[in-house]
Amino acid sequence: MKYKYILFDLDGTVSASAEGIRYSLESVLERYGVQGVDLSDYTRYIGPPLLDTLLNLCGLPEELCDEAYEHYKTVYAEKGKAMNRPYDGITEVLTALRERGCKLAVCTSKLEETAVAVVTELGLAPYFDAIAGSNRDSTRKDKKDLIPYAIGLLGGAPDEKESAVMLGDTWYDAKGAFECGVDFIACRYGYGDNEEMEKYDPAARADSPSELVSLLS
């Protein structure tokens, strides 16, 4: 195999999750009386850290963001995450990669405990060696911080960048991989803007999960 450590973004790469994320954000907007926010464009809020979305897209004042963050988490845990489903073919991809001896991690800007709950809900936890997510104090929320963290959880060293690859569907994933010096595979079947990902010169592109194993070999 070309790579030893394979990092998967979660939303839009492993799971089709837009419905649950949008539902939870709509609950936040309603709670705080925010109007006029267009949630039809998933590229605006699937990918970036939630706190950034609350500030920049929802327009909430900074002093309300911690409270809104907790409200979103509650709604997502109670209803949103149950709206997720794995992409067709992703289980077969994970199975094949594990059989080939690869180390697999989820690498997501979701809060780590939420990511664990989602992956478990999807029935995919047994396929991953680690789940790397953001932390509560926001010191680990961007992909440039999450990628080395995930590689470390898999047992990799900082100088093993050529042995690692990031798979994702947004420019946030692509930019993080570029900043960390690891290869990036653009999952064009997800929610992100393909043209934005191209700016970071992906090592390969997948139009469906079924293409991933051959691209990683």
Side-chain angles (χ1 to χ4, degrees):
M1 296 293 291
K2 189 182 301 183
Y3 304 102
K4 182 178 180 181
Y5 308 114
I6 302 178
L7 315 181
F8 288 82
D9 175 50
L10 185 54
D11 299 317
T13 302
V14 170
S15 70
S17 56
E19 183 181 1
I21 294 172
R22 179 170 180 167
Y23 177 89
S24 304
L25 277 178
E26 285 173 342
S27 179
V28 170
L29 296 175
E30 181 178 0
R31 179 182 178 90
Y32 293 98
V34 179
Q35 299 180 347
V37 178
D38 181 9
L39 297 180
S40 63
D41 182 359
Y42 297 137
T43 66
R44 301 181 69 192
Y45 58 89
I46 297 182
L50 176 58
L51 282 175
D52 292 357
T53 297
L54 296 174
L55 281 168
N56 302 325
L57 177 61
C58 298
L60 292 176
E62 190 170 352
E63 60 269 21
L64 286 180
C65 281
D66 285 344
E67 179 184 305
Y69 190 99
E70 293 301 318
H71 177 73
Y72 175 97
K73 278 176 45 193
T74 298
V75 174
Y76 190 82
E78 292 177 351
K79 294 187 177 180
K81 69 181 175 66
M83 299 177 184
N84 280 348
R85 63 171 180 80
Y87 277 110
D88 292 342
I90 201 68
T91 301
E92 291 78 7
V93 169
L94 299 175
T95 299
L97 293 174
R98 286 187 65 86
E99 288 175 349
R100 288 161 171 76
C102 300
K103 295 289 187 179
L104 310 182
V106 168
C107 183
T108 174
S109 60
K110 266 185 169 31
L111 191 67
E112 189 163 280
E113 64 190 53
T114 302
V116 170
V118 169
V119 174
T120 301
E121 178 92 10
L122 294 171
L124 299 178
Y127 297 96
F128 290 102
D129 300 288
I131 298 176
S134 65
N135 53 6
R136 289 181 176 272
D137 65 9
S138 297
T139 56
R140 189 182 70 237
K141 66 184 179 71
D142 296 317
K143 287 293 166 74
K144 65 179 176 60
D145 304 311
L146 287 160
I147 289 171
Y149 171 61
I151 294 172
L153 290 178
L154 294 177
D159 60 354
E160 290 188 90
K161 294 177 179 178
E162 292 184 359
S163 299
V165 62
M166 179 75 215
L167 281 63
D169 69 306
T170 72
W171 72 269
Y172 299 96
D173 305 308
K175 182 173 182 284
F178 176 80
E179 292 174 333
C180 291
V182 304
D183 280 355
F184 173 69
I185 293 180
C187 297
R188 295 164 57 92
Y189 55 84
Y191 300 117
D193 185 313
N194 292 333
E195 290 185 6
E196 290 296 316
M197 289 193 288
E198 284 298 320
K199 293 178 181 179
Y200 294 93
D201 192 23
R205 301 148 188 83
D207 291 317
S208 70
S210 62
E211 299 177 12
L212 291 173
V213 175
S214 61
L215 293 175
L216 292 164
S217 299

